[in-house]
């Protein structure tokens, strides 16, 4: 079993790619959510009362 010192191990390219893909997915998820929220028609309080 190999034991590494605290500074000898880094996430490397694979770690960067995974974090970057999560960031891109989050961007598109938020963009889609904003589009869906814009479609919601919320009735105003004064429209329903007469």
């Amino acid at each position: 079993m190999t034991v590494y010192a605290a500074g000898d191990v880094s996430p490397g390219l694979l770690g960067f790619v995974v974090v970057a893909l999560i960031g891109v997915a989050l961007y598109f998820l938020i963009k889609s959510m904003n589009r869906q929220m814009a479609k919601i028609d919320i009735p105003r309080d004064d429209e329903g009362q007469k």
Side-chain angles (χ1 to χ4, degrees), residues 30-42:
I30 291 172
K31 188 174 175 181
S32 173
M33 181 189 67
N34 284 335
R35 237 184 286 126
Q36 296 298 323
M37 293 293 283
K39 291 180 184 178
I40 297 175
D41 184 26
I42 301 173

Side-chain angles (χ1 to χ4, degrees), residues 2-46:
T2 306
V3 178
Y4 293 104
D8 290 344
V9 180
S10 67
L13 182 62
L14 180 62
F16 172 75
V17 169
V18 169
V19 171
L21 287 176
I22 291 173
V24 169
L26 182 62
Y27 170 77
F28 284 111
L29 183 66
I30 291 172
K31 188 174 175 181
S32 173
M33 181 189 67
N34 284 335
R35 237 184 286 126
Q36 296 298 323
M37 293 293 283
K39 291 180 184 178
I40 297 175
D41 184 26
I42 301 173
R44 296 173 51 141
D45 288 339
D46 58 350

